[in-house]
Amino acid sequence: MKKNLSIIILAAGAGTRMKSTTPKVLHTISGKPMLYYSILESLKLSDDITVVIYHQAQRVQSSMEQFFQKELETGQLKFVVQDHENYPGTGGAVMNITPTHEKTLVLNADMPLIQASELEKFDIDATIVMSVLELDSADGYGRVVVENGNVVKIVEQKDANEQELAITTANAGIYQFDTQFLLEHLPKLNNNNAQKEYYITDLVEMAINQGLSLKPLAVSVENFKGVNSKVELSQAEVIHQNRIKEAFLKQGVIMRLPDTIYIEYGVQIEGESILENGVTLLGNSKLINAHIKTNSVVEDSVVEDSDVGPMGRVRPGSVLKDTHIGNFVETKKAKLTGVKAGHLSYLGDCEIDEGTNIGCGTITCNYDGMNKHQTIIGKNVFVGSDTQLVAPVTIEDDVIIAAGSTITKNISKGSLAITRAPLKVIKDYFYKFFNK
Ligand code: UD1
Ligand code: CA
């Protein structure tokens, strides 16, 4: 792929319309901050990417550092702080950046649905290539004023007159500039507008007035939707989720009522896995020929040739292989191979081996109030219902644990373990007690 393109991502805005203490670009879509997707797609197209930050700059930068360490080290990706006090606005954001390539693509970071394949369409020879949305209502967007079939200028909603407000052609907010033009004209921007900001959109009118070439590129909301509020955040996530699910369906995953299923970006599914309604798959989970039943949650875990649920919860660090996890069973950092745990159990910080049956109500007591401890259970162990395993504890192969036992010591191979108060039966006690 040729990478003779510079990219500037605008992520400095306060995002007041989100009504949140979290910076807008860190609000998540399918489990990742919006800005993550802008950077991810940009990396496919450019070796010169600058992210402009200002509001909660440190927080935004640290959040991205955890994903893009390598690219920051090589210099493919850079952060620049906007001189927001003196030059607020989308125009102010691109000042003081010197792109290294002939063409510069400018992206708003609040467009999480953007894909590199769509951005490649801006590769047109013109002074400015701008993205245009045809909408039922352009509310919230800058309006594109067109006269005699030609773009004249972009008017922001807050500056628009009644006639301009009625326009349904919107500026989607992505532009490709001739870098030379951009550098020469940025200093000419002014802030004579309702928001007292320097608008990048004013460059459009400047180019037109000078008779330079401007190419409007028609784009769709599916890819170019802007997120300014929590309503739009939720709408964008629906589109993003549908994209993720459609890709898995095409790949052979079976989904019952896909609209009720939530799959974060980063989840992998292989083989003929089945997802029933209400399933949630989070983090970097990996499913291989798995059957996840109604309303179960799998987070940062591996589920291979196994079934979970309905209403199972597989928490981070679990690795299930040839295993059956039934309703109301919770696992965490549990390595289960060939295990059956049908009902109502907590299996945390444990390793359990083939042929072992975990009775209903079994609990690995992994936490002593200060530290977490391991439970190791061997092969073919029969763990009776309502057993508590006080960790650290090891149960060797071929052990039987009687129902209701509290296991505080290691149990050797082939043994029966039973802790039980002797059963007492008092005849006719009921009648005496209730005087009947
Ligand atoms: C902008 C466009 C509008 C377009 C819309 C598309 C301008 C003046 N308006 O409006 O025509 O229809 O996007 O979604 O450009 N930002 C900075 N520094 C700032 C201000 C903003 O980096 O000083 C960043 C924001 O973080 C955001 C992006 O620029 O990612 C857009 O800013 P926002 O305030 O959302 O612009 P809109 O009002 O949506
Ligand atoms: Ca916006």
Side-chain angles (χ1 to χ4, degrees):
M1 179 164 298
K2 46 178 195 162
K3 290 194 170 173
N4 54 353
L5 175 73
S6 292
I7 297 184
I8 299 173
I9 303 174
L10 307 185
T16 44
R17 286 169 281 179
M18 290 299 281
K19 298 191 178 137
S20 174
T21 53
T22 301
K24 174 160 77 172
V25 297
L26 294 190
H27 280 273
T28 58
I29 297 256
S30 305
K32 294 278 191 295
M34 290 202 273
L35 178 58
Y36 169 84
Y37 297 108
S38 309
I39 296 176
L40 193 71
E41 295 305 301
S42 297
L43 288 168
K44 297 177 186 168
L45 302 173
S46 175
D47 59 9
D48 177 36
I49 301 162
T50 308
V51 180
V52 185
I53 50 177
Y54 174 76
H55 279 104
Q56 300 195 55
Q58 196 47 55
R59 188 166 162 196
V60 174
Q61 184 167 340
S62 331
S63 161
M64 290 304 114
E65 277 165 357
Q66 51 173 332
F67 300 114
F68 302 110
Q69 196 58 52
K70 192 183 94 233
E71 292 79 3
L72 284 161
E73 273 163 23
T74 61
Q76 187 181 4
L77 181 65
K78 291 177 283 293
F79 283 93
V80 165
V81 179
Q82 181 180 352
D83 179 7
H84 199 276
E85 287 98 296
N86 295 311
Y87 297 99
T90 49
V94 285
M95 291 173 182
N96 297 322
I97 296 169
T98 314
T100 58
H101 295 295
E102 229 173 275
K103 299 283 183 190
T104 302
L105 195 67
V106 179
L107 312 182
N108 288 354
D110 59 359
M111 303 175 69
L113 300 173
I114 204 67
Q115 288 174 294
S117 54
E118 289 295 314
L119 295 176
E120 277 180 323
K121 295 181 183 163
F122 285 74
D123 188 10
I124 298 171
D125 197 25
T127 305
I128 302 179
V129 183
M130 62 169 287
S131 48
V132 172
L133 283 169
E134 263 328 320
L135 300 167
D136 292 334
S137 155
D139 189 42
Y141 287 94
R143 311 296 203 272
V144 182
V145 181
V146 180
E147 281 170 16
N148 306 321
N150 295 315
V151 174
V152 179
K153 60 176 176 178
I154 298 170
V155 181
E156 288 310 296
Q157 177 150 322
K158 287 187 177 146
D159 300 300
N161 61 35
E162 216 166 304
Q163 209 179 346
E164 289 162 342
L165 282 176
I167 295 172
T168 53
T169 309
N171 167 30
I174 293 187
Y175 327 81
Q176 180 185 265
F177 291 99
D178 180 277
T179 304
Q180 198 61 37
F181 169 87
L182 184 68
L183 294 177
E184 276 170 23
H185 291 78
L186 280 172
K188 297 177 185 165
L189 288 179
N190 64 57
N191 63 349
N192 302 331
N193 52 55
Q195 303 186 83
K196 293 278 165 281
E197 287 187 353
Y198 294 83
Y199 293 164
I200 197 171
T201 45
D202 287 347
L203 293 172
V204 167
E205 198 178 357
M206 281 187 201
I208 294 164
N209 289 345
Q210 290 176 45
L212 297 169
S213 54
L214 176 100
K215 285 263 157 44
L217 191 68
V219 297
S220 69
V221 176
E222 282 286 309
N223 282 289
F224 289 81
K225 186 181 178 57
V227 172
N228 298 304
S229 65
K230 284 173 179 159
V231 173
E232 288 167 339
L233 184 73
S234 67
Q235 292 166 341
E237 189 167 49
V238 170
I239 297 173
H240 200 255
Q241 278 294 302
N242 285 340
R243 218 183 255 174
I244 290 175
K245 286 180 274 188
E246 201 176 305
F248 281 130
L249 285 164
K250 282 183 180 159
Q251 191 195 297
V253 174
I254 295 173
M255 292 187 201
R256 187 159 87 192
L257 300 180
D259 281 352
T260 65
I261 294 172
Y262 183 79
I263 307 177
E264 283 189 347
Y265 184 85
V267 168
Q268 289 170 272
I269 311 180
E270 293 174 9
E272 190 170 55
S273 289
I274 304 171
L275 308 180
E276 293 185 7
N277 48 303
V279 162
T280 300
L281 305 178
L282 305 174
N284 291 318
S285 294
K286 184 169 182 178
L287 271 47
I288 306 154
N289 299 318
H291 184 169
I292 313 297
K293 297 180 186 169
T294 306
N295 292 343
S296 296
V297 181
V298 179
E299 179 173 7
D300 280 316
S301 292
V302 179
V303 182
E304 183 173 2
D305 297 314
S306 299
D307 69 282
V308 173
M311 292 158 289
R313 180 159 184 222
V314 180
R315 290 175 50 207
S318 298
V319 179
L320 315 186
K321 214 175 162 216
D322 301 315
T323 285
H324 161 68
I325 292 292
N327 45 247
F328 305 112
V329 173
E330 172 185 345
T331 70
K332 189 217 72 178
K333 285 189 189 157
K335 187 167 180 257
L336 310 186
T337 310
V339 174
K340 285 192 169 68
H343 344 257
L344 288 161
S345 289
Y346 172 58
L347 304 173
D349 299 297
C350 61
E351 258 185 68
I352 308 179
D353 217 335
E354 271 162 53
T356 289
N357 187 88
I358 304 293
C360 175
T362 297
I363 298 169
T364 52
C365 308
N366 60 329
Y367 186 49
D368 61 11
M370 284 189 290
N371 297 301
K372 301 281 168 69
H373 301 282
Q374 285 280 324
T375 299
I376 311 287
I377 304 179
K379 293 186 171 65
N380 306 318
V381 174
F382 180 87
V383 179
S385 296
D386 192 27
T387 292
Q388 297 110 56
L389 298 144
V390 182
V393 70
T394 299
I395 314 296
E396 293 183 1
D397 296 348
D398 308 329
V399 163
I400 297 174
I401 299 176
S405 297
T406 302
I407 306 298
T408 53
K409 281 194 258 175
N410 295 346
I411 310 294
S412 60
K413 189 169 187 284
S415 310
L416 165 73
I418 175 163
T419 68
R420 207 176 271 174
L423 174 68
K424 225 191 264 176
V425 178
I426 304 172
K427 282 228 159 229
D428 296 328
Y429 185 88
F430 180 96
Y431 306 106
K432 279 176 220 153
F433 189 81
F434 291 110
N435 251 330
K436 281 185 182 170

